Amino acid sequence: MAETGASPLPSTPPARSPLFRAEQFVWLTARVLEQRLFAHHFLHGTPDAVEAALDAYRNEDGGYGHALEPDLRGPVSQPLHTAHALRVLDAIGRCGGQRVERVCRYLTSVSSADGALPAIRPSQRGYPTAPFVPIVDDPPSELLATGPVVGLLHRNQVWHAWLFRATDFCWQAVESLEKSHPYEVEAAVVFLDAAPDRSRAQAAADRLGRMVREQRLAVLDPNRPDAYPVASGYAPGEHHFPHDFARSPESLARAWFTDDEMARSLDHLAAEQQDDGGWPVRWRQWAPAPALEARAMVTIEALRILRAYGRFVG
């Protein structure tokens, strides 16, 4: 074949490597958004392509809907969808400018009286929703919904009037935690990893880490998961591991675990890759489409965690 002078295509992972197998899984099963996110993280794909796919989920009110968070179906904007959108924008370096100004206006419009976010607003009624997601008429503010949003906005040096009261809410919620569960702790970590007051964040993280160990919220020995309790309302076997809290070595949560504990956690994460190339969803699966869509998200996150700890180059 004659030389054309065209630039070579980006190199693909070696055949049958974990990354190659995950790539085949993503192309076979994932939504366009996750396909483009995978390409951005591992195949030199462009942020423009990811942002174009994300725009399909954006509503006129500045929020996001359309099952962006797979367990909430239907078109209406919800805080959990919008938090997911911010994670995507953060991952591609686009969490700023007018797009985030619109998001902050939406957050202002849906905040509770204390200035923070409920997880689910009543507008979700009438659309298919995971049975473990309660819908009430006057939902309270939750750290689970507010912490990740505030943390990502601070991480990207976004300043908006909405952030002041929401940040105060997060500090109060984190510093008053006494009995918690893994997803709430994960939300607290996202906030603390980016909170502007670093000495206060370090002190709060130290306290939170002691609580995680005392309440045995992290499985420290993957060979004995049954020795660790599963939080109330979680699915059977819905355990959390050190890598779920410390998703990169830079996280404040990394100090909660010894090197050996983190190594065992990462070994377990790597071994969880299934024969089809994807990683499993641990939470309760209630319908085929949300479970399949979530698997692609979980697979990309597993690869990003493993790469952050130097487990492979890609």
Side-chain angles (χ1 to χ4, degrees), residues 206-227:
D206 291 346
R207 174 184 172 276
L208 197 60
R210 290 192 295 271
M211 188 185 76
V212 165
R213 297 186 75 92
E214 289 166 1
Q215 297 180 15
R216 305 177 74 205
L217 300 184
V219 174
L220 303 180
D221 183 355
N223 293 320
R224 300 177 60 244
D226 292 342

Side-chain angles (χ1 to χ4, degrees), residues 169-179 207 211:
F169 170 87
C170 290
W171 279 124
Q172 191 278 331
V174 170
E175 292 176 336
S176 63
L177 280 178
E178 294 182 359
K179 177 72 174 176
R207 174 184 172 276
M211 188 185 76

Side-chain angles (χ1 to χ4, degrees), residues 235-241 243-244 269 272 280-284:
E238 192 176 349
H239 292 290
H240 289 243
F241 298 82
H243 64 261
D244 290 310
L269 177 62
E272 277 195 310
V281 171
R282 291 197 219 106
W283 59 86
R284 197 178 306 277

Side-chain angles (χ1 to χ4, degrees), residues 18-19 42 243 246-250 254 262-263 266-267 269-270 301-314:
L19 187 57
F42 304 107
H243 64 261
R247 295 181 177 238
S248 78
E250 291 75 33
R254 174 61 186 87
M262 184 58 67
L266 294 169
D267 288 344
L269 177 62
E301 185 63 15
L303 292 168
R304 292 187 70 195
I305 292 170
L306 290 169
R307 182 170 65 179
Y309 282 94
R311 288 300 183 106
F312 70 86
V313 177

Side-chain angles (χ1 to χ4, degrees), residues 114-115 150 154 159-171:
D114 54 11
V150 172
H154 280 309
W159 291 104
H160 188 276
W162 177 81
L163 265 174
F164 292 100
R165 293 181 68 203
T167 300
D168 288 343
F169 170 87
C170 290
W171 279 124

Side-chain angles (χ1 to χ4, degrees), residues 82 86 103-111 117 149 153 162:
T82 304
L86 289 175
V103 167
C104 288
R105 287 200 296 268
Y106 165 76
L107 297 174
T108 302
S109 72
V110 299
S111 293
L117 297 173
V149 170
L153 293 176
W162 177 81

Side-chain angles (χ1 to χ4, degrees):
M1 182 175 178
E3 293 285 342
T4 63
S7 300
L9 293 172
S11 59
T12 57
R16 306 313 301 165
S17 69
L19 187 57
F20 176 84
R21 292 164 53 212
E23 179 185 352
Q24 299 307 300
F25 173 79
V26 167
W27 293 134
L28 181 65
T29 67
R31 304 181 295 192
V32 172
L33 175 60
E34 280 73 39
Q35 290 178 2
R36 292 182 178 181
L37 267 174
F38 183 92
H40 172 72
H41 289 308
F42 304 107
L43 301 173
H44 310 293
T46 68
D48 287 345
V50 178
E51 192 169 357
L54 181 63
D55 279 346
Y57 298 88
R58 184 161 53 87
N59 287 322
E60 290 299 319
D61 60 7
Y64 290 77
H66 307 280
L68 179 56
E69 185 66 36
D71 284 331
L72 307 178
R73 315 305 288 185
V76 295
S77 298
Q78 290 291 343
L80 289 182
H81 292 311
T82 304
H84 190 125
L86 289 175
R87 287 195 296 273
V88 172
L89 292 171
D90 174 69
I92 63 174
R94 295 286 177 87
C95 194
Q98 290 187 352
R99 66 180 68 81
V100 174
E101 177 69 26
R102 290 194 296 267
V103 167
C104 288
R105 287 200 296 268
Y106 165 76
L107 297 174
T108 302
S109 72
V110 299
S111 293
S112 302
D114 54 11
L117 297 173
I120 308 294
R121 302 184 69 239
S123 56
Q124 185 64 30
R125 280 201 183 93
Y127 299 103
T129 306
F132 48 81
V133 178
I135 302 174
V136 298
D137 288 333
D138 189 18
S141 296
E142 294 188 26
L143 178 61
L144 187 69
T146 311
V149 170
V150 172
L152 287 172
L153 293 176
H154 280 309
R155 170 183 162 93
N156 288 276
Q157 300 182 351
V158 173
W159 291 104
H160 188 276
W162 177 81
L163 265 174
F164 292 100
R165 293 181 68 203
T167 300
D168 288 343
F169 170 87
C170 290
W171 279 124
Q172 191 278 331
V174 170
E175 292 176 336
S176 63
L177 280 178
E178 294 182 359
K179 177 72 174 176
S180 189
H181 60 94
Y183 291 121
E184 186 174 51
V185 173
E186 289 177 18
V189 169
V190 178
F191 168 69
L192 293 173
D193 276 346
D197 189 337
R198 299 313 299 153
S199 60
R200 187 177 181 182
Q202 181 68 66
D206 291 346
R207 174 184 172 276
L208 197 60
R210 290 192 295 271
M211 188 185 76
V212 165
R213 297 186 75 92
E214 289 166 1
Q215 297 180 15
R216 305 177 74 205
L217 300 184
V219 174
L220 303 180
D221 183 355
N223 293 320
R224 300 177 60 244
D226 292 342
Y228 297 83
V230 173
S232 175
Y234 284 29
E238 192 176 349
H239 292 290
H240 289 243
F241 298 82
H243 64 261
D244 290 310
F245 301 103
R247 295 181 177 238
S248 78
E250 291 75 33
S251 173
L252 291 173
R254 174 61 186 87
W256 300 352
F257 309 106
T258 68
D259 290 347
D260 286 345
E261 288 167 349
M262 184 58 67
R264 287 195 296 268
S265 181
L266 294 169
D267 288 344
H268 175 75
L269 177 62
E272 277 195 310
Q273 187 175 24
Q274 299 187 331
D275 290 343
D276 61 7
W279 267 259
V281 171
R282 291 197 219 106
W283 59 86
R284 197 178 306 277
Q285 301 178 35
W286 61 281
L292 187 61
E293 291 168 0
R295 279 197 71 202
M297 294 158 44
V298 168
T299 295
I300 292 170
E301 185 63 15
L303 292 168
R304 292 187 70 195
I305 292 170
L306 290 169
R307 182 170 65 179
Y309 282 94
R311 288 300 183 106
F312 70 86
V313 177

